[in-house]
Amino acid sequence: MRDKADYARKGIARGRSCVALQYAGGILLVAPNPSSALHKISEIYDRIGFAAVGRYNEYENLRKAGVTYADITGYQFDRHDVTARGIANWYAQTLGTIFTESPKPFEVEIVVAEVGLSPADDQIYRITFDGSVTDEPGFVAFGGQADQVSAALKERYSDDMSLSEAFAAALAALSAPANGERTERTEFAAAQLEVAILDRARDHRTFRRIRAARLEELLAEARPAPAAEPADDESSAESSGSAPSGSAPSGTGPGSSTPPSSSGPSSPSSPSDTEPPTGPAPGGSDRGTGLDGGSPL
């Protein structure tokens, strides 16, 4: 049993962490995922979402089975009888049976989240490879180096955050060191993220994916603003050797030992004297590192 547990943990740790967290308008689910076809985040039922990490074929089979279980339960009884708690318990029984009876355990971790009519009614459950279930109030990080990501998310999480604030907190936590990488990632591109929400304000089906322009807006809001460049007026004057305005030029004031030149109009002392004080240096580039200057994911 210990060998099976170690095997499953190592397989899950090779992946990249995902996060789920509450915000004022519902529940946000964020996962680093460059694939546009293989989803880590999906819908289970009307107000219930599903997120997983690990082996894709294993958690995809679990997702389909969970959708079937929810549909049958809602058809036989009532749609309100389908809850995240019931689905989480069903997943726990299934994974527990596989872990104890199968020679190879599933290398997966699952989160089942349900958005309520108020933030107090929201539910987030984490199910591990051996069938253990934990209730996670507020937020959860799972898969990969979940401890480091969870610690970073705890520092930034607060109640009643807006969607932009919650996304910024999730992005900063996923960019923490050791999240499946040897070096720290400072930013993600829109094509490298899978983002979805359970929107409390929507009726019936609350699951909605965030893509394209809206995701770009959230990324722009989450990134820190570039630092303002200092004023170049005084620095350019000092670099060119010219005196500030209102003072006499060097060598022409009273008591100076060097007489002014009398050989016609004087030529500029440096190229910077003929350019606007705030312009780029000759041959240089006014492009900084920018928001896209980081290395690819």
Side-chain angles (χ1 to χ4, degrees), residues 2-33:
R2 183 164 50 249
D3 291 342
K4 285 205 259 185
D6 292 340
Y7 176 85
R9 289 193 188 98
K10 289 178 181 178
I12 295 169
R14 283 195 295 266
R16 306 198 67 181
S17 298
C18 303
V19 296
L21 66 159
Q22 290 178 274
Y23 70 101
I27 297 176
L28 172 67
L29 305 168
V30 183
N33 185 12

PDB file of all heavy atoms in Angstrom, residues 2-33:
ATOM      1  N   ARG A   2       1.946   1.207   0.764  1.00  0.00           N
ATOM      2  CA  ARG A   2       2.840   2.358   0.793  1.00  0.00           C
ATOM      3  C   ARG A   2       3.499   2.576  -0.571  1.00  0.00           C
ATOM      4  O   ARG A   2       3.654   3.706  -1.027  1.00  0.00           O
ATOM      5  CB  ARG A   2       3.899   2.175   1.876  1.00  0.00           C
ATOM      6  CG  ARG A   2       4.830   3.379   2.022  1.00  0.00           C
ATOM      7  CD  ARG A   2       5.608   3.358   3.323  1.00  0.00           C
ATOM      8  NE  ARG A   2       6.272   2.083   3.558  1.00  0.00           N
ATOM      9  CZ  ARG A   2       5.917   1.218   4.509  1.00  0.00           C
ATOM     10  NH1 ARG A   2       4.885   1.489   5.306  1.00  0.00           N
ATOM     11  NH2 ARG A   2       6.583   0.089   4.691  1.00  0.00           N
ATOM     12  N   ASP A   3       3.875   1.488  -1.243  1.00  0.00           N
ATOM     13  CA  ASP A   3       4.462   1.608  -2.576  1.00  0.00           C
ATOM     14  C   ASP A   3       3.452   2.199  -3.568  1.00  0.00           C
ATOM     15  O   ASP A   3       3.808   3.021  -4.419  1.00  0.00           O
ATOM     16  CB  ASP A   3       4.935   0.243  -3.077  1.00  0.00           C
ATOM     17  CG  ASP A   3       6.133  -0.263  -2.294  1.00  0.00           C
ATOM     18  OD1 ASP A   3       6.784   0.566  -1.625  1.00  0.00           O
ATOM     19  OD2 ASP A   3       6.400  -1.484  -2.329  1.00  0.00           O
ATOM     20  N   LYS A   4       2.206   1.775  -3.455  1.00  0.00           N
ATOM     21  CA  LYS A   4       1.181   2.324  -4.350  1.00  0.00           C
ATOM     22  C   LYS A   4       0.958   3.805  -4.095  1.00  0.00           C
ATOM     23  O   LYS A   4       0.800   4.591  -5.028  1.00  0.00           O
ATOM     24  CB  LYS A   4      -0.132   1.543  -4.164  1.00  0.00           C
ATOM     25  CG  LYS A   4      -0.128   0.183  -4.797  1.00  0.00           C
ATOM     26  CD  LYS A   4      -1.558  -0.237  -5.111  1.00  0.00           C
ATOM     27  CE  LYS A   4      -2.077  -1.193  -4.100  1.00  0.00           C
ATOM     28  NZ  LYS A   4      -3.418  -1.722  -4.442  1.00  0.00           N
ATOM     29  N   ALA A   5       0.952   4.185  -2.826  1.00  0.00           N
ATOM     30  CA  ALA A   5       0.761   5.602  -2.494  1.00  0.00           C
ATOM     31  C   ALA A   5       1.920   6.446  -3.007  1.00  0.00           C
ATOM     32  O   ALA A   5       1.717   7.531  -3.571  1.00  0.00           O
ATOM     33  CB  ALA A   5       0.607   5.767  -0.985  1.00  0.00           C
ATOM     34  N   ASP A   6       3.153   5.952  -2.830  1.00  0.00           N
ATOM     35  CA  ASP A   6       4.316   6.690  -3.335  1.00  0.00           C
ATOM     36  C   ASP A   6       4.279   6.803  -4.852  1.00  0.00           C
ATOM     37  O   ASP A   6       4.617   7.847  -5.424  1.00  0.00           O
ATOM     38  CB  ASP A   6       5.609   6.011  -2.892  1.00  0.00           C
ATOM     39  CG  ASP A   6       5.839   6.106  -1.390  1.00  0.00           C
ATOM     40  OD1 ASP A   6       5.220   7.000  -0.761  1.00  0.00           O
ATOM     41  OD2 ASP A   6       6.617   5.291  -0.846  1.00  0.00           O
ATOM     42  N   TYR A   7       3.873   5.747  -5.504  1.00  0.00           N
ATOM     43  CA  TYR A   7       3.778   5.755  -6.961  1.00  0.00           C
ATOM     44  C   TYR A   7       2.776   6.810  -7.433  1.00  0.00           C
ATOM     45  O   TYR A   7       3.049   7.581  -8.368  1.00  0.00           O
ATOM     46  CB  TYR A   7       3.373   4.367  -7.449  1.00  0.00           C
ATOM     47  CG  TYR A   7       3.136   4.263  -8.925  1.00  0.00           C
ATOM     48  CD1 TYR A   7       4.191   4.038  -9.811  1.00  0.00           C
ATOM     49  CD2 TYR A   7       1.854   4.383  -9.444  1.00  0.00           C
ATOM     50  CE1 TYR A   7       3.973   3.948 -11.172  1.00  0.00           C
ATOM     51  CE2 TYR A   7       1.615   4.299 -10.808  1.00  0.00           C
ATOM     52  CZ  TYR A   7       2.674   4.078 -11.664  1.00  0.00           C
ATOM     53  OH  TYR A   7       2.451   3.990 -13.022  1.00  0.00           O
ATOM     54  N   ALA A   8       1.619   6.850  -6.794  1.00  0.00           N
ATOM     55  CA  ALA A   8       0.594   7.813  -7.200  1.00  0.00           C
ATOM     56  C   ALA A   8       1.030   9.246  -6.902  1.00  0.00           C
ATOM     57  O   ALA A   8       0.831  10.154  -7.726  1.00  0.00           O
ATOM     58  CB  ALA A   8      -0.720   7.505  -6.481  1.00  0.00           C
ATOM     59  N   ARG A   9       1.638   9.482  -5.751  1.00  0.00           N
ATOM     60  CA  ARG A   9       2.085  10.836  -5.405  1.00  0.00           C
ATOM     61  C   ARG A   9       3.132  11.349  -6.392  1.00  0.00           C
ATOM     62  O   ARG A   9       3.083  12.523  -6.802  1.00  0.00           O
ATOM     63  CB  ARG A   9       2.653  10.854  -3.984  1.00  0.00           C
ATOM     64  CG  ARG A   9       1.623  10.700  -2.891  1.00  0.00           C
ATOM     65  CD  ARG A   9       2.213  11.039  -1.534  1.00  0.00           C
ATOM     66  NE  ARG A   9       1.289  10.715  -0.464  1.00  0.00           N
ATOM     67  CZ  ARG A   9       1.348   9.595   0.257  1.00  0.00           C
ATOM     68  NH1 ARG A   9       2.310   8.697   0.017  1.00  0.00           N
ATOM     69  NH2 ARG A   9       0.475   9.357   1.208  1.00  0.00           N
ATOM     70  N   LYS A  10       4.076  10.509  -6.758  1.00  0.00           N
ATOM     71  CA  LYS A  10       5.114  10.935  -7.693  1.00  0.00           C
ATOM     72  C   LYS A  10       4.518  11.251  -9.059  1.00  0.00           C
ATOM     73  O   LYS A  10       4.937  12.202  -9.732  1.00  0.00           O
ATOM     74  CB  LYS A  10       6.178   9.852  -7.816  1.00  0.00           C
ATOM     75  CG  LYS A  10       7.047   9.699  -6.575  1.00  0.00           C
ATOM     76  CD  LYS A  10       8.067   8.577  -6.738  1.00  0.00           C
ATOM     77  CE  LYS A  10       8.922   8.425  -5.482  1.00  0.00           C
ATOM     78  NZ  LYS A  10       9.900   7.306  -5.616  1.00  0.00           N
ATOM     79  N   GLY A  11       3.557  10.461  -9.484  1.00  0.00           N
ATOM     80  CA  GLY A  11       2.917  10.737 -10.769  1.00  0.00           C
ATOM     81  C   GLY A  11       2.163  12.049 -10.762  1.00  0.00           C
ATOM     82  O   GLY A  11       2.208  12.817 -11.721  1.00  0.00           O
ATOM     83  N   ILE A  12       1.455  12.345  -9.666  1.00  0.00           N
ATOM     84  CA  ILE A  12       0.699  13.595  -9.566  1.00  0.00           C
ATOM     85  C   ILE A  12       1.632  14.792  -9.450  1.00  0.00           C
ATOM     86  O   ILE A  12       1.379  15.865 -10.004  1.00  0.00           O
ATOM     87  CB  ILE A  12      -0.261  13.519  -8.362  1.00  0.00           C
ATOM     88  CG1 ILE A  12      -1.311  12.429  -8.594  1.00  0.00           C
ATOM     89  CG2 ILE A  12      -0.933  14.860  -8.118  1.00  0.00           C
ATOM     90  CD1 ILE A  12      -2.131  12.094  -7.367  1.00  0.00           C
ATOM     91  N   ALA A  13       2.745  14.622  -8.730  1.00  0.00           N
ATOM     92  CA  ALA A  13       3.686  15.732  -8.531  1.00  0.00           C
ATOM     93  C   ALA A  13       4.384  16.138  -9.816  1.00  0.00           C
ATOM     94  O   ALA A  13       4.910  17.255  -9.895  1.00  0.00           O
ATOM     95  CB  ALA A  13       4.722  15.349  -7.473  1.00  0.00           C
ATOM     96  N   ARG A  14       4.404  15.272 -10.819  1.00  0.00           N
ATOM     97  CA  ARG A  14       5.042  15.637 -12.081  1.00  0.00           C
ATOM     98  C   ARG A  14       4.218  16.648 -12.868  1.00  0.00           C
ATOM     99  O   ARG A  14       4.726  17.278 -13.796  1.00  0.00           O
ATOM    100  CB  ARG A  14       5.280  14.389 -12.933  1.00  0.00           C
ATOM    101  CG  ARG A  14       6.471  13.555 -12.481  1.00  0.00           C
ATOM    102  CD  ARG A  14       6.868  12.555 -13.550  1.00  0.00           C
ATOM    103  NE  ARG A  14       5.825  11.562 -13.770  1.00  0.00           N
ATOM    104  CZ  ARG A  14       5.792  10.373 -13.161  1.00  0.00           C
ATOM    105  NH1 ARG A  14       6.739  10.050 -12.295  1.00  0.00           N
ATOM    106  NH2 ARG A  14       4.826   9.513 -13.414  1.00  0.00           N
ATOM    107  N   GLY A  15       2.954  16.783 -12.535  1.00  0.00           N
ATOM    108  CA  GLY A  15       2.099  17.727 -13.244  1.00  0.00           C
ATOM    109  C   GLY A  15       2.257  19.141 -12.704  1.00  0.00           C
ATOM    110  O   GLY A  15       3.156  19.450 -11.922  1.00  0.00           O
ATOM    111  N   ARG A  16       1.337  20.002 -13.094  1.00  0.00           N
ATOM    112  CA  ARG A  16       1.351  21.386 -12.653  1.00  0.00           C
ATOM    113  C   ARG A  16       0.093  21.646 -11.829  1.00  0.00           C
ATOM    114  O   ARG A  16      -0.989  21.129 -12.122  1.00  0.00           O
ATOM    115  CB  ARG A  16       1.413  22.343 -13.839  1.00  0.00           C
ATOM    116  CG  ARG A  16       2.578  22.053 -14.776  1.00  0.00           C
ATOM    117  CD  ARG A  16       2.876  23.209 -15.664  1.00  0.00           C
ATOM    118  NE  ARG A  16       3.388  24.327 -14.909  1.00  0.00           N
ATOM    119  CZ  ARG A  16       3.720  25.489 -15.457  1.00  0.00           C
ATOM    120  NH1 ARG A  16       3.587  25.671 -16.746  1.00  0.00           N
ATOM    121  NH2 ARG A  16       4.184  26.469 -14.715  1.00  0.00           N
ATOM    122  N   SER A  17       0.235  22.443 -10.822  1.00  0.00           N
ATOM    123  CA  SER A  17      -0.854  22.677  -9.881  1.00  0.00           C
ATOM    124  C   SER A  17      -1.998  23.454 -10.533  1.00  0.00           C
ATOM    125  O   SER A  17      -1.801  24.235 -11.462  1.00  0.00           O
ATOM    126  CB  SER A  17      -0.344  23.458  -8.671  1.00  0.00           C
ATOM    127  OG  SER A  17       0.649  22.735  -7.984  1.00  0.00           O
ATOM    128  N   CYS A  18      -3.181  23.218 -10.009  1.00  0.00           N
ATOM    129  CA  CYS A  18      -4.379  23.982 -10.363  1.00  0.00           C
ATOM    130  C   CYS A  18      -4.941  24.603  -9.084  1.00  0.00           C
ATOM    131  O   CYS A  18      -4.641  24.139  -7.979  1.00  0.00           O
ATOM    132  CB  CYS A  18      -5.428  23.089 -11.010  1.00  0.00           C
ATOM    133  SG  CYS A  18      -4.853  22.213 -12.482  1.00  0.00           S
ATOM    134  N   VAL A  19      -5.757  25.625  -9.235  1.00  0.00           N
ATOM    135  CA  VAL A  19      -6.347  26.276  -8.072  1.00  0.00           C
ATOM    136  C   VAL A  19      -7.847  26.481  -8.306  1.00  0.00           C
ATOM    137  O   VAL A  19      -8.300  26.641  -9.448  1.00  0.00           O
ATOM    138  CB  VAL A  19      -5.677  27.638  -7.765  1.00  0.00           C
ATOM    139  CG1 VAL A  19      -4.224  27.458  -7.400  1.00  0.00           C
ATOM    140  CG2 VAL A  19      -5.811  28.597  -8.929  1.00  0.00           C
ATOM    141  N   ALA A  20      -8.589  26.456  -7.217  1.00  0.00           N
ATOM    142  CA  ALA A  20     -10.001  26.807  -7.202  1.00  0.00           C
ATOM    143  C   ALA A  20     -10.219  27.704  -5.994  1.00  0.00           C
ATOM    144  O   ALA A  20      -9.752  27.382  -4.895  1.00  0.00           O
ATOM    145  CB  ALA A  20     -10.881  25.552  -7.108  1.00  0.00           C
ATOM    146  N   LEU A  21     -10.884  28.821  -6.203  1.00  0.00           N
ATOM    147  CA  LEU A  21     -11.089  29.750  -5.103  1.00  0.00           C
ATOM    148  C   LEU A  21     -12.396  30.509  -5.275  1.00  0.00           C
ATOM    149  O   LEU A  21     -12.871  30.720  -6.396  1.00  0.00           O
ATOM    150  CB  LEU A  21      -9.922  30.726  -4.976  1.00  0.00           C
ATOM    151  CG  LEU A  21      -9.673  31.736  -6.097  1.00  0.00           C
ATOM    152  CD1 LEU A  21      -8.846  32.903  -5.561  1.00  0.00           C
ATOM    153  CD2 LEU A  21      -8.937  31.108  -7.264  1.00  0.00           C
ATOM    154  N   GLN A  22     -12.951  30.890  -4.133  1.00  0.00           N
ATOM    155  CA  GLN A  22     -14.178  31.673  -4.123  1.00  0.00           C
ATOM    156  C   GLN A  22     -13.873  33.138  -4.393  1.00  0.00           C
ATOM    157  O   GLN A  22     -12.828  33.662  -4.021  1.00  0.00           O
ATOM    158  CB  GLN A  22     -14.871  31.565  -2.764  1.00  0.00           C
ATOM    159  CG  GLN A  22     -15.477  30.210  -2.454  1.00  0.00           C
ATOM    160  CD  GLN A  22     -16.090  30.198  -1.060  1.00  0.00           C
ATOM    161  OE1 GLN A  22     -15.393  29.944  -0.091  1.00  0.00           O
ATOM    162  NE2 GLN A  22     -17.366  30.482  -0.974  1.00  0.00           N
ATOM    163  N   TYR A  23     -14.815  33.801  -5.044  1.00  0.00           N
ATOM    164  CA  TYR A  23     -14.809  35.262  -5.139  1.00  0.00           C
ATOM    165  C   TYR A  23     -16.245  35.737  -4.960  1.00  0.00           C
ATOM    166  O   TYR A  23     -17.158  34.927  -4.748  1.00  0.00           O
ATOM    167  CB  TYR A  23     -14.190  35.720  -6.462  1.00  0.00           C
ATOM    168  CG  TYR A  23     -15.011  35.434  -7.693  1.00  0.00           C
ATOM    169  CD1 TYR A  23     -15.776  36.427  -8.294  1.00  0.00           C
ATOM    170  CD2 TYR A  23     -15.019  34.171  -8.272  1.00  0.00           C
ATOM    171  CE1 TYR A  23     -16.525  36.177  -9.429  1.00  0.00           C
ATOM    172  CE2 TYR A  23     -15.757  33.911  -9.396  1.00  0.00           C
ATOM    173  CZ  TYR A  23     -16.515  34.925  -9.984  1.00  0.00           C
ATOM    174  OH  TYR A  23     -17.266  34.660 -11.101  1.00  0.00           O
ATOM    175  N   ALA A  24     -16.460  37.034  -5.013  1.00  0.00           N
ATOM    176  CA  ALA A  24     -17.773  37.567  -4.660  1.00  0.00           C
ATOM    177  C   ALA A  24     -18.877  37.031  -5.567  1.00  0.00           C
ATOM    178  O   ALA A  24     -20.003  36.820  -5.129  1.00  0.00           O
ATOM    179  CB  ALA A  24     -17.740  39.094  -4.712  1.00  0.00           C
ATOM    180  N   GLY A  25     -18.550  36.785  -6.836  1.00  0.00           N
ATOM    181  CA  GLY A  25     -19.578  36.367  -7.785  1.00  0.00           C
ATOM    182  C   GLY A  25     -19.657  34.887  -8.035  1.00  0.00           C
ATOM    183  O   GLY A  25     -20.467  34.462  -8.872  1.00  0.00           O
ATOM    184  N   GLY A  26     -18.857  34.065  -7.338  1.00  0.00           N
ATOM    185  CA  GLY A  26     -18.933  32.634  -7.569  1.00  0.00           C
ATOM    186  C   GLY A  26     -17.641  31.928  -7.208  1.00  0.00           C
ATOM    187  O   GLY A  26     -16.996  32.241  -6.211  1.00  0.00           O
ATOM    188  N   ILE A  27     -17.228  30.981  -8.051  1.00  0.00           N
ATOM    189  CA  ILE A  27     -16.013  30.181  -7.837  1.00  0.00           C
ATOM    190  C   ILE A  27     -15.184  30.232  -9.113  1.00  0.00           C
ATOM    191  O   ILE A  27     -15.709  30.026 -10.220  1.00  0.00           O
ATOM    192  CB  ILE A  27     -16.358  28.728  -7.464  1.00  0.00           C
ATOM    193  CG1 ILE A  27     -17.109  28.681  -6.132  1.00  0.00           C
ATOM    194  CG2 ILE A  27     -15.096  27.875  -7.374  1.00  0.00           C
ATOM    195  CD1 ILE A  27     -17.579  27.291  -5.730  1.00  0.00           C
ATOM    196  N   LEU A  28     -13.903  30.490  -8.958  1.00  0.00           N
ATOM    197  CA  LEU A  28     -12.968  30.580 -10.079  1.00  0.00           C
ATOM    198  C   LEU A  28     -12.089  29.337 -10.111  1.00  0.00           C
ATOM    199  O   LEU A  28     -11.567  28.901  -9.078  1.00  0.00           O
ATOM    200  CB  LEU A  28     -12.101  31.832  -9.930  1.00  0.00           C
ATOM    201  CG  LEU A  28     -10.941  32.000 -10.914  1.00  0.00           C
ATOM    202  CD1 LEU A  28     -11.465  32.239 -12.329  1.00  0.00           C
ATOM    203  CD2 LEU A  28     -10.037  33.149 -10.481  1.00  0.00           C
ATOM    204  N   LEU A  29     -11.893  28.770 -11.299  1.00  0.00           N
ATOM    205  CA  LEU A  29     -11.048  27.601 -11.518  1.00  0.00           C
ATOM    206  C   LEU A  29      -9.984  27.970 -12.549  1.00  0.00           C
ATOM    207  O   LEU A  29     -10.315  28.406 -13.653  1.00  0.00           O
ATOM    208  CB  LEU A  29     -11.870  26.414 -12.031  1.00  0.00           C
ATOM    209  CG  LEU A  29     -13.074  25.994 -11.166  1.00  0.00           C
ATOM    210  CD1 LEU A  29     -13.961  25.027 -11.936  1.00  0.00           C
ATOM    211  CD2 LEU A  29     -12.614  25.363  -9.878  1.00  0.00           C
ATOM    212  N   VAL A  30      -8.715  27.793 -12.181  1.00  0.00           N
ATOM    213  CA  VAL A  30      -7.602  28.169 -13.066  1.00  0.00           C
ATOM    214  C   VAL A  30      -6.614  27.006 -13.119  1.00  0.00           C
ATOM    215  O   VAL A  30      -6.227  26.468 -12.074  1.00  0.00           O
ATOM    216  CB  VAL A  30      -6.887  29.444 -12.579  1.00  0.00           C
ATOM    217  CG1 VAL A  30      -5.786  29.844 -13.563  1.00  0.00           C
ATOM    218  CG2 VAL A  30      -7.869  30.587 -12.391  1.00  0.00           C
ATOM    219  N   ALA A  31      -6.186  26.651 -14.338  1.00  0.00           N
ATOM    220  CA  ALA A  31      -5.228  25.564 -14.522  1.00  0.00           C
ATOM    221  C   ALA A  31      -4.281  25.921 -15.654  1.00  0.00           C
ATOM    222  O   ALA A  31      -4.736  26.325 -16.727  1.00  0.00           O
ATOM    223  CB  ALA A  31      -5.943  24.256 -14.844  1.00  0.00           C
ATOM    224  N   PRO A  32      -2.963  25.798 -15.449  1.00  0.00           N
ATOM    225  CA  PRO A  32      -2.033  25.921 -16.580  1.00  0.00           C
ATOM    226  C   PRO A  32      -2.245  24.752 -17.534  1.00  0.00           C
ATOM    227  O   PRO A  32      -2.106  23.590 -17.155  1.00  0.00           O
ATOM    228  CB  PRO A  32      -0.651  25.873 -15.925  1.00  0.00           C
ATOM    229  CG  PRO A  32      -0.889  26.141 -14.474  1.00  0.00           C
ATOM    230  CD  PRO A  32      -2.245  25.607 -14.174  1.00  0.00           C
ATOM    231  N   ASN A  33      -2.585  25.049 -18.782  1.00  0.00           N
ATOM    232  CA  ASN A  33      -2.895  23.997 -19.740  1.00  0.00           C
ATOM    233  C   ASN A  33      -2.730  24.540 -21.158  1.00  0.00           C
ATOM    234  O   ASN A  33      -3.598  25.258 -21.646  1.00  0.00           O
ATOM    235  CB  ASN A  33      -4.319  23.488 -19.532  1.00  0.00           C
ATOM    236  CG  ASN A  33      -4.648  22.304 -20.430  1.00  0.00           C
ATOM    237  OD1 ASN A  33      -3.768  21.723 -21.053  1.00  0.00           O
ATOM    238  ND2 ASN A  33      -5.919  21.956 -20.517  1.00  0.00           N
TER     239      ASN A  33
END
